[in-house]
Amino acid sequence: ELAAEVVSQTLNGVEVDRYVRISTGAFRDLVDVVGGVEVFVPQVMKYDDNTQKLHIDLKPGLQTLNGKQAEGLVRFRHEDVGDIGRTQREQTLMKVLQKKFQNPLMLARLPEVFSVMQKHIDSNLSLGEMLALVQFGMQVKPNQFQMVMLPGRFSMPDEFPLSYWLMDRTATNKVMKTYFEVEPPMDSAGIDTPSATNPADVKIVVQNASGDPEGSRRMADYLIQVGFANVEIESESPE
């Protein structure tokens, strides 16, 4: 519910009444269901993370990837553009999958597709709504399938200790008006205003559940450092 609220605020109050939450394993299994996907790998991608059981080893060039390789393609993030490159590759893979599902032969594999969805996808869509969307998606032409990334920039080291994507509010307003016909929020004077709340006006109560007795104090200091002025520490530990 909180994720839906934040997305709605970020997108100028657009209503969020349905959600689809997808695990990375869905990419892997869906690609295997359709028999692999042909994509262009832009660079050498090699990365190993035993804690996540993630092992990526891809060579550059146009090639057909199986499910495990496709998952590596969308999860690789060790490049200059960071998560932006990963987002772009996710969009590319989604478009390739959508084109694959337009093949009439894919109708015979719908039971396998729904098996993958039950395993990796959580949603408040009803079965009837899912079937209607699948049928609709198979009729959508590639040039009608559009993905948009909110305009912005990476935060600078002197702005935040961690890296964040900071939206360009004016450019985002244009995206929302062009693609969703949603006007930017207006204040009483008729001036466009950002939907995000001013951090200085937000009250935050920190409750320590980490087991570190100094954890709540460090978190409170960090929040104050980045602009949240009204910060309190809850004295009682959570059960």
Side-chain angles (χ1 to χ4, degrees):
E1 292 181 1
L2 182 57
E5 180 182 340
V6 171
V7 170
S8 177
Q9 291 177 355
T10 302
L11 301 183
N12 293 348
V14 66
E15 185 179 0
V16 179
D17 54 9
R18 298 290 189 276
Y19 70 86
V20 179
R21 182 170 52 180
I22 307 174
S23 73
T24 56
F27 283 120
R28 179 184 62 243
D29 290 355
L30 282 175
V31 168
D32 284 336
V33 165
V34 302
V37 290
E38 186 179 59
V39 295
F40 181 80
V41 180
Q43 65 183 72
V44 173
M45 295 183 179
K46 191 171 181 63
Y47 176 71
D48 292 289
D49 187 338
N50 292 324
T51 60
Q52 299 187 60
K53 298 181 180 179
L54 179 62
H55 304 283
I56 303 172
D57 187 6
L58 298 174
K59 302 293 190 295
L62 184 65
Q63 55 199 284
T64 299
L65 304 181
N66 60 28
K68 183 178 179 180
Q69 292 169 325
E71 182 185 8
L73 177 72
V74 298
R75 294 186 65 183
F76 184 81
R77 67 197 305 177
H78 294 268
E79 54 187 333
D80 292 340
V81 291
D83 282 340
I84 303 305
R86 186 173 65 166
T87 299
Q88 292 171 339
R89 292 192 300 276
E90 288 173 352
Q91 293 176 346
T92 297
L93 183 59
M94 289 291 290
K95 288 184 177 181
V96 173
L97 281 171
Q98 189 264 347
K99 186 176 181 180
K100 275 271 192 175
F101 281 117
Q102 284 188 317
N103 189 327
L105 296 177
M106 286 296 110
L107 287 173
R109 299 187 179 180
L110 283 182
E112 297 176 74
V113 172
F114 279 107
S115 177
V116 171
M117 292 175 65
Q118 289 179 329
K119 181 180 177 181
H120 294 290
I121 296 178
D122 169 45
S123 175
N124 62 347
L125 288 164
S126 68
L127 179 60
E129 289 171 328
M130 287 185 182
L131 288 170
L133 285 173
V134 169
Q135 185 178 20
F136 172 77
M138 294 179 71
Q139 299 171 355
V140 175
K141 298 178 180 179
N143 63 347
Q144 297 174 310
F145 190 66
Q146 302 181 47
M147 291 191 175
V148 182
M149 186 172 69
L150 295 181
R153 64 175 177 84
F154 286 111
S155 62
M156 302 300 292
D158 59 346
E159 292 179 295
F160 298 98
L162 302 177
S163 177
Y164 292 94
W165 182 251
L166 305 180
M167 292 191 313
D168 181 325
R169 174 52 62 183
T170 300
T172 295
N173 288 340
K174 292 180 180 178
V175 167
M176 293 305 301
K177 185 174 182 179
T178 300
Y179 290 92
F180 302 98
E181 299 181 355
V182 174
E183 296 289 344
M186 309 289 285
D187 65 10
S188 58
I191 301 174
D192 293 0
T193 58
S195 59
T197 304
N198 185 345
D201 298 331
V202 176
K203 179 180 179 180
I204 298 179
V205 177
V206 179
Q207 190 174 47
N208 191 349
S210 67
D212 178 359
E214 297 299 321
S216 54
R217 169 50 59 190
R218 286 199 298 270
M219 175 57 73
D221 291 343
Y222 167 75
L223 291 169
I224 293 172
Q225 177 185 348
V226 298
F228 293 94
N230 192 1
V231 180
E232 298 179 4
I233 296 177
E234 175 62 54
S235 58
E236 294 185 5
S237 299
E239 295 181 357

